[in-house]
Amino acid sequence: MRKNINRWISNHACMVTPGQIVDIHVNELDPSLNSQDKWIRGIQQVLAEGSMLTHCANGAEYTLAGCISLRSSTDRLGINFGDEDDLFYELDITPPSIYLFPLGKEPWNDQSHDFVRLDPSLPLSILSDAVALYLEYKESTEAEFRRSLWLVPPQR
């Protein structure tokens, strides 16, 4: 998996520009992560491996982040999970993704969406390796709120 992550980051990080979305699902990096019961641990592993790299050969710096897609709802649900079992129940059918953003141009810094930082005291293993940010929003053309959990590992 490490080789695939490093290759993907090396091939894409130097080309990331503001406004561009560069992402890949974890199961594309490692087919053993196809099963939903492996997604949470899988995104943690991918972020741990990928966070060792923080800049490109050309000197460009970027932020690596993970995104776990959660079930949509017609009602605003908020952070309705307090442990690993609750979080597993809230998973969407889409495998988690990792994203690359130009340093300082991350979506949680642009004020266009209301990201909420999870309480680090929650009993979630993902909080030991990253800052977790919850996002819930509704597009004007859609019937349901979209929900996701963003994981941002510490910059090395």
Side-chain angles (χ1 to χ4, degrees):
M1 175 171 35
R2 175 181 288 176
K3 192 166 118 179
N4 289 346
I5 295 166
N6 289 343
R7 183 181 317 121
W8 183 80
I9 289 173
S10 296
N11 288 340
H12 292 89
C14 296
M15 300 179 294
V16 175
T17 59
Q20 180 184 14
I21 296 175
V22 178
D23 72 308
I24 189 169
H25 292 285
V26 295
N27 60 320
E28 294 176 67
L29 292 168
D30 183 348
S32 73
L33 300 176
N34 276 332
S35 175
Q36 194 177 44
D37 63 335
K38 296 182 179 179
W39 289 353
I40 294 172
R41 185 68 193 131
I43 191 73
Q44 288 177 281
Q45 291 171 333
V46 169
L47 288 173
E49 294 289 339
S51 66
M52 299 300 176
L53 304 170
T54 57
H55 63 279
C56 303
N58 70 2
E61 293 183 311
Y62 61 87
T63 298
L64 176 74
C67 181
I68 300 171
S69 209
L70 304 174
R71 291 184 310 122
S72 297
S73 174
T74 54
D75 297 316
R76 184 177 288 277
L77 298 177
I79 301 169
N80 65 344
F81 48 89
D83 60 28
E84 302 284 333
D85 291 336
D86 292 345
L87 179 58
F88 181 79
Y89 177 76
E90 292 301 320
L91 293 178
D92 191 322
I93 59 170
T94 306
S97 296
I98 60 169
Y99 285 78
L100 295 171
F101 300 106
L103 190 63
K105 303 294 183 185
E106 302 85 354
W108 49 89
N109 289 328
D110 75 5
Q111 309 301 316
S112 64
H113 291 297
D114 294 325
F115 286 85
V116 176
R117 185 175 179 162
L118 263 64
D119 181 344
S121 68
L122 286 173
L124 295 166
S125 64
I126 55 172
L127 297 175
S128 64
D129 303 327
V131 171
L133 304 167
Y134 175 78
L135 177 62
E136 183 172 11
Y137 66 96
K138 185 176 181 181
E139 297 285 349
S140 60
T141 58
E142 295 181 1
E144 295 185 323
F145 287 90
R146 293 185 189 189
R147 303 170 62 229
S148 55
L149 184 60
W150 289 79
L151 306 174
V152 185
Q155 294 288 1
R156 303 207 192 274

